[in-house]
Amino acid sequence: MGVSSAADPHLAHYDREGLQSAFERIDRNADEFMFGLHHGRQRKDYALNFMGVRTTYEQLDAEVERTARALCGFGIRQGQYVSIALPNLKEAVVYIYACWRIGAVANLIDPRTNGQGILERVQRTGSKLLVTVMNICEPKIDEILERLTVRRVVLVCPSDSLQPCRSIGATLGFFIYRRKKQDFAKRKLMAAGGKYIWHTDFIRAYTYKDDLRAIYQPGLVAAVHYTSGTASDGVIKGAVITHKAFNAAPCAFKYSVRPEEYQRGSTFGGFIPFFSAYGALCGMHASLCGGLELLLVPMFDPNKFAGLLLHLKPNIFLGVPRFHEQLTEHPMLQKKNSRLSFVKIAISGGDRISPASLERINETFARSGCKSGLRVGYGSTELGGSIAVMPYYEPEKDDFPWRKDGNVGYLLPHCRGMVIDPDTGRELPFGQDGELCVHSASQMEAYLGLPEATREITFIGPDGAKYYRMGDKGHLDGTGCFYFTGRYKRSMMRPDGHTVHPAPIENVIMSHPAVESCAVAGLRLRQDSAGAIPAAFVVLRGDVPAKEDSISILREIDRLCLQRLPERDRAIAYKAVKSLPYTPMGKIHFRALEQEPFSPDDFLITDFDMLNI
């Protein structure tokens, strides 16, 4: 039957000669690579759009240069880390590329992380500078400020990037955020002992007149993206990703789509945050390398994705399954119309999507004027975001087997795949399920400071390349299609697209004195629903029999989790049970828990909004 590592059948779908020449140019600084793709009048094209305020590539280059000189003037040098905890604002793009221009490493932190988590990520890298937004300071930065070793905390205010009269949103945002900035300045700047400084003041305060561009060397690190990883311990890990890896992503994406879909001047919806590898490599860097206009979406209610999409009208966008499922329910898309005719490329990743759900989405696309079907993809932080995606197809023509359960498209041209027996490590033939393993030109170098965790999920394949064990179950077929059919690792995707790993939750719950044992599993609201509800099954000690007492203790446990974990990384539902199911080998039977029917009445629910996404 043959094996994938010896055949690479997916490469038959790509222009091999064009690919070879494209990938020859990726081993360079990511800042230089991106801006070097825009020449002459192309620099006048729009790069960013924040609520109607647009920035050209030429203007973006100038802002990156000013910020890079401020970083150098402050004392940041090549190889040092700058911690950036920002949503998808213009300043997030500027600081990331400014770091790359001088060879510094962007330590990218989810701003929703709690104070202790931010502290740990900053201290782990020895960052001397933290860039964030003012609303993160209260209370997150305030509570850790004395322990932070950074010299300065640079505060970004969205009003600095907004201009009145550009749009209703920009006008309202400008005055609202400007007032918040004034209030914050009165209360905080002096009280913080001079550690806080506004972004605009930081740019003026520090200058550097000498040459600042990085001396590029192969293996130069660009960014750290945080993930719980595929290792078994559930520890939050920092994936170290190089400039070359960043540059490989847009090259692969460009060669996986049709030229008429991916044209300079098209708009790209920045829904996926840039602090994630998916959002940074496949979103921010890929769109800017392609000459697209990146529509910045710093925060939005996942329940309102469909309305926001119809308002912004991006030609290309990434999302998670539930985002796209909302389109099937939107009242404006129930009758035949052309409201989605602006969509050229729509990609879904992050979790499995059922064939029935994909069928409904494609029916909505076709009914609303979009010829192309939704393209399902697959990837991980360790591999730089995406490693497989469906090609262009028209659902009514059945020119691609998109209905096959688990099909996530062809491996991208910068990847190689193989499937192994998870117990023996033996490579399996086409069509046989096993553990998915991938080598990608966009893959991380290692987990930051965790060599053992890196070795746990890597091995050298028969072709001499380093492969990453995905911890997922699936297979490859002889045409190059990749199939994701389940998970070996214990992790789950919430309905809003956020990945949750059970081990940290279980560790916190077990620390409560009233808990005897516990297990966290992902329960689906319905058989075909996207995402799972992280549910904690808790066995309480025998001296707490009353139901009222049980509920009270479960609430205590949730408060404990909120103190020790990021808010989105805790359980959404808790249930006190008499015992947990076990396998014949004496291990907790997690699959049995996952198959339990979910009824909110049986659980203590901590976030009812998540049940309605």
Side-chain angles (χ1 to χ4, degrees):
M1 293 178 66
V3 294
S4 178
S5 66
D8 289 332
H10 65 290
L11 292 181
H13 303 282
Y14 304 108
D15 173 10
R16 295 198 184 206
E17 292 185 7
L19 284 171
Q20 184 175 359
S21 62
F23 283 103
E24 285 175 352
R25 299 189 292 271
I26 64 174
D27 200 1
R28 63 181 64 188
N29 182 288
D31 164 72
E32 176 190 352
F33 179 82
M34 186 274 282
F35 282 109
L37 294 171
H38 312 299
H39 308 284
R41 294 185 61 83
Q42 294 174 346
R43 287 172 56 81
K44 302 291 185 183
D45 293 340
Y46 290 115
L48 306 176
N49 186 327
F50 178 41
M51 297 177 71
V53 180
R54 305 168 90 180
T55 303
T56 67
Y57 281 89
E58 184 176 59
Q59 291 167 335
L60 177 59
D61 192 2
E63 289 199 43
V64 168
E65 180 72 12
R66 285 194 296 271
T67 304
R69 292 199 173 278
L71 292 174
C72 280
F74 179 76
I76 304 297
R77 294 293 181 267
Q78 185 162 329
Q80 295 182 335
Y81 293 81
V82 175
S83 290
I84 302 171
L86 291 173
N88 287 9
L89 295 167
K90 180 178 74 173
E91 289 79 7
V93 179
V94 169
Y95 271 97
I96 290 171
Y97 281 94
C99 285
W100 294 348
R101 185 161 295 189
I102 65 175
V105 183
N107 182 39
L108 299 172
I109 302 172
D110 183 344
R112 296 166 296 191
T113 304
N114 61 18
Q116 184 61 36
I118 293 174
L119 176 67
E120 191 278 333
R121 289 158 176 75
V122 172
Q123 309 295 64
R124 189 189 299 191
T125 58
S127 300
K128 298 302 179 185
L129 191 71
L130 169 63
V131 185
T132 188
V133 284
M134 57 186 182
N135 59 305
I136 299 300
C137 296
E138 299 175 302
K140 295 181 180 180
I141 304 301
D142 287 349
E143 69 183 23
I144 63 171
L145 193 61
E146 292 184 359
R147 291 178 287 161
L148 272 176
T149 56
V150 298
R151 288 167 47 202
R152 282 294 182 95
V153 178
V154 177
L155 300 175
V156 170
C157 181
S159 67
D160 295 335
S161 297
L162 295 173
Q163 298 171 19
C165 302
R166 287 297 180 92
S167 69
I168 295 175
T171 302
L172 290 174
F174 176 81
F175 288 109
I176 291 171
Y177 280 108
R178 188 176 67 168
R179 178 59 182 270
K180 288 184 177 182
K181 180 177 181 179
Q182 292 167 346
D183 292 343
F184 183 92
K186 291 177 183 177
R187 290 181 290 106
K188 290 290 181 185
L189 291 189
M190 296 305 295
K195 232 173 190 181
Y196 289 140
I197 183 172
W198 295 115
H199 161 67
T200 48
D201 294 335
F202 178 75
I203 299 300
R204 286 193 291 264
Y206 298 98
T207 58
Y208 189 81
K209 295 183 178 179
D210 295 332
D211 183 29
L212 52 70
R213 287 195 174 271
I215 301 172
Y216 184 78
Q217 296 176 343
L220 183 65
V221 177
V224 177
H225 289 280
Y226 289 92
T227 173
S228 295
T230 54
S232 59
D233 56 10
V235 174
I236 301 296
K237 302 172 182 69
V240 176
I241 301 181
T242 66
H243 286 257
K244 182 179 179 180
F246 261 88
N247 295 335
C251 288
F253 187 71
K254 178 181 178 181
Y255 278 89
S256 67
V257 299
R258 304 185 307 172
E260 58 266 33
E261 298 175 287
Y262 196 63
Q263 293 178 330
R264 177 176 289 274
S266 295
T267 55
F268 187 99
F271 301 110
I272 305 298
F274 304 151
F275 50 75
S276 71
Y278 187 28
L281 283 85
C282 307
M284 178 193 75
H285 195 52
S287 64
L288 293 177
C289 286
L292 310 184
E293 182 177 0
L294 177 55
L295 308 179
L296 296 169
V297 184
M299 59 187 71
F300 70 97
D301 183 346
N303 289 312
K304 299 178 180 177
F305 171 78
L308 184 60
L309 181 75
L310 290 169
H311 171 68
L312 293 177
K313 294 182 171 56
N315 305 127
I316 305 169
F317 59 95
L318 312 176
V320 296
R322 183 51 187 154
F323 288 2
H324 301 103
E325 287 175 352
Q326 285 183 36
L327 298 173
T328 67
E329 303 162 2
H330 198 279
M332 294 175 67
L333 301 176
Q334 300 308 306
K335 296 181 179 180
K336 189 173 180 62
N337 55 55
S338 61
R339 294 186 186 277
L340 292 180
S341 60
F342 59 85
V343 177
K344 296 179 180 178
I345 303 173
I347 296 176
S348 180
D351 196 14
R352 287 190 66 200
I353 185 168
S354 70
S357 180
L358 184 56
E359 185 92 43
R360 288 193 298 269
I361 293 167
N362 280 338
E363 287 174 357
T364 301
F365 273 27
R367 185 171 61 242
S368 305
C370 176
K371 290 185 177 181
S372 175
L374 177 66
R375 303 184 201 188
V376 180
Y378 173 80
S380 74
T381 298
E382 289 83 355
L383 289 161
S386 182
I387 56 95
V389 70
M390 289 181 176
Y392 174 89
Y393 67 93
E394 295 184 30
E396 68 276 9
K397 292 183 178 179
D398 283 335
D399 51 353
F400 177 80
W402 59 273
R403 286 188 175 88
K404 286 190 176 181
D405 189 17
N407 190 346
V408 292
Y410 301 124
L411 275 172
L412 291 173
H414 65 329
C415 298
R416 305 193 73 186
M418 59 188 297
V419 179
I420 65 171
D421 183 310
D423 297 320
T424 66
R426 179 177 62 87
E427 185 170 7
L428 300 175
F430 290 129
Q432 187 170 333
D433 269 354
E435 184 174 3
L436 299 171
C437 303
V438 176
H439 164 79
S440 168
S442 288
Q443 69 194 27
M444 72 176 190
E445 288 290 287
Y447 289 127
L448 182 65
L450 297 171
E452 288 298 325
T454 306
R455 283 192 288 270
E456 181 183 343
I457 65 165
T458 59
F459 66 93
I460 302 301
D463 54 0
K466 182 163 75 171
Y467 281 77
Y468 279 80
R469 300 181 65 158
M470 305 295 292
D472 290 335
K473 185 179 181 180
H475 62 271
L476 289 150
D477 67 20
T479 71
C481 275
F482 212 61
Y483 290 82
F484 165 42
T485 58
R487 297 190 186 275
Y488 289 111
K489 63 184 180 183
R490 284 210 303 131
S491 66
M492 65 205 73
M493 177 70 67
R494 300 192 335 169
D496 64 350
H498 179 68
T499 300
V500 175
H501 296 267
I505 305 174
E506 292 166 350
N507 291 340
V508 174
I509 293 174
M510 286 299 296
S511 71
H512 193 284
V515 175
E516 181 175 304
S517 62
C518 74
V520 175
L523 304 184
R524 294 190 180 270
L525 293 170
R526 300 177 304 278
Q527 188 66 29
D528 64 341
S529 62
I533 301 299
F537 296 86
V538 184
V539 179
L540 299 175
R541 298 191 183 279
D543 56 351
V544 194
K547 182 176 181 180
E548 292 78 12
D549 291 338
S550 299
I551 295 296
S552 177
I553 291 174
L554 293 178
R555 292 188 188 280
E556 285 183 17
I557 291 170
D558 185 55
R559 287 194 292 270
L560 184 64
C561 288
L562 276 173
Q563 291 172 9
R564 299 188 185 180
L565 297 170
E567 183 178 355
R568 294 204 306 163
D569 288 348
R570 79 192 206 277
I572 292 173
Y574 294 82
K575 184 178 183 180
V577 295
K578 291 183 178 180
S579 62
L580 296 174
Y582 288 89
T583 67
M585 297 299 292
K587 297 181 180 181
I588 294 176
H589 198 331
F590 290 102
R591 290 191 179 180
L593 290 174
E594 290 170 351
Q595 292 170 1
E596 280 211 6
F598 181 80
S599 172
D601 294 337
D602 296 335
F603 290 81
L604 168 67
I605 307 298
T606 63
D607 186 353
F608 279 95
D609 288 341
M610 194 56 55
L611 305 187
N612 298 320
I613 289 181

